[in-house]
Amino acid sequence: LKKSLGKQIYRYRKQRKLSQEKLAELSDYSVDFISLVERGHYSPSVEGCARIAQALQIKLKTLFDIEIDPELSKKLSKTKKKP
């Protein structure tokens, strides 16, 4: 999920023609943090996602409009506890 979120942020940043530096400034994060998030090495908190979404001028739910990897979906379904 971290990689998918990072790809979303990257995609919207590019659509808005923003540099990582500008997105960092608008969201009050460091350039290093934005880079880590976009590459899927770090996942921001919900508050952090809201700050990034606001900086990108999109709704928070738009960042999470992602397809779940089929392999991850299988793993998650195996870990669900049965009643």
Side-chain angles (χ1 to χ4, degrees):
L1 287 174
K2 285 189 270 187
K3 287 187 180 191
S4 296
L5 178 62
K7 286 179 185 178
Q8 283 287 84
I9 292 169
Y10 174 82
R11 183 169 68 109
Y12 284 103
R13 179 176 64 79
K14 288 296 187 178
Q15 281 182 0
R16 302 294 187 272
K17 296 180 173 53
L18 296 174
S19 65
Q20 285 184 338
E21 291 81 7
K22 188 63 177 175
L23 179 57
E25 178 186 324
L26 292 171
S27 60
D28 199 29
Y29 279 120
S30 70
V31 175
D32 289 338
F33 179 82
I34 296 297
S35 177
L36 286 169
V37 170
E38 285 188 350
R39 290 181 288 141
H41 295 286
Y42 188 79
S43 183
S45 65
V46 174
E47 179 186 327
C49 287
R51 287 168 43 188
I52 292 169
Q54 184 175 20
L56 293 170
Q57 299 178 343
I58 60 175
K59 292 182 179 185
L60 178 58
K61 68 180 183 178
T62 303
L63 282 183
F64 296 101
D65 187 17
I66 53 179
E67 294 291 323
I68 295 182
D69 178 5
E71 289 300 314
L72 176 60
S73 186
K74 285 181 190 176
K75 288 178 186 176
L76 291 174
S77 66
K78 288 180 184 177
T79 60
K80 286 183 182 175
K81 293 183 180 177
K82 295 181 181 176

